[in-house]
Amino acid sequence: TCRADVFAPKLRELHKEKYDIDEIVEIYQKQINPCELVLAGLSFQRMDTVEKVFSTLIGKPFWKSVVPVQVRLKDDHAKQFEVTDRHVKSLRSLLALRHELVHDPDKHKHKLTEDEISWLYDAGLLMFACDIVLNQFIAANMDPELKSQTTKR
């Protein structure tokens, strides 16, 4: 987990709710982590929410941090993949399709098009790149106590 001085101000920015004493007691009794509390109130079904939350967390535009990521297969260096704006657009299209399927299923045909299938592949690479960017942020801001525990192993 990240150092508290790194994530606490960002959580305040993302979560502006106030709690009464009964709610605070319940949060304490259930040992709810502040990150869990904030995330429970967010929906990642819209691209602008994903951008806002992760840009706030890492302190710079999230999609611009993800798009230049390049991935090379360990055993086959000839296979290299680069995340581009197309991958972000594919995820945006998938989220719109998901919305359509959930809220107006009769409007959509029952077979995916080739483009829709390609969006799935694009989104997979994009998620992998997102994971890389977020893990780099966490590693750079790791709680020193946690870091010392992992190096002792």
Side-chain angles (χ1 to χ4, degrees):
T1 179
C2 290
R3 297 185 325 267
D5 65 307
V6 171
F7 75 81
K10 296 168 190 232
L11 293 180
R12 282 187 204 95
E13 191 175 329
L14 293 170
H15 190 76
K16 303 208 183 285
E17 288 186 40
K18 305 282 186 209
Y19 297 96
D20 66 32
I21 192 66
D22 293 333
E23 292 170 318
I24 293 170
V25 169
E26 184 179 357
I27 291 167
Y28 172 76
Q29 288 173 337
K30 293 185 177 181
Q31 298 179 351
I32 298 173
N33 182 301
C35 294
E36 292 176 70
L37 190 63
V38 171
L39 288 173
L42 297 170
S43 169
F44 292 96
Q45 298 174 18
R46 296 171 36 126
M47 292 294 281
D48 58 336
T49 303
V50 174
E51 171 71 18
K52 179 184 181 232
V53 169
F54 290 113
S55 294
T56 300
L57 177 66
I58 68 173
K60 56 187 175 184
F62 184 63
W63 294 126
K64 288 183 180 177
S65 300
V66 172
V67 166
V69 170
Q70 295 181 353
V71 179
R72 185 177 23 224
L73 295 180
K74 181 180 177 183
D75 297 331
D76 186 356
H77 293 285
K79 289 191 179 177
Q80 182 171 319
F81 305 95
E82 182 176 359
V83 178
T84 66
D85 287 329
R86 182 192 86 218
H87 296 90
V88 177
K89 289 176 186 170
S90 290
L91 180 60
R92 185 181 311 280
S93 298
L94 272 179
L95 291 175
L97 177 60
R98 179 220 163 268
H99 182 83
E100 184 180 303
L101 291 170
V102 168
H103 298 289
D104 196 3
D106 294 335
K107 181 180 174 185
H108 195 76
K109 60 229 165 279
H110 295 286
K111 187 175 181 182
L112 294 176
T113 66
E114 283 186 34
D115 282 345
E116 291 166 338
I117 291 170
S118 75
W119 298 342
L120 291 168
Y121 289 107
D122 286 350
L125 179 59
L126 181 65
M127 292 302 104
F128 187 65
C130 291
D131 191 52
I132 291 169
V133 169
L134 292 172
N135 275 296
Q136 287 173 339
F137 172 80
I138 291 168
N141 295 287
M142 187 177 280
D143 184 327
E145 189 175 310
L146 183 62
K147 190 182 274 190
S148 69
Q149 290 174 0
T150 57
T151 55
K152 288 179 185 177
R153 292 182 188 171

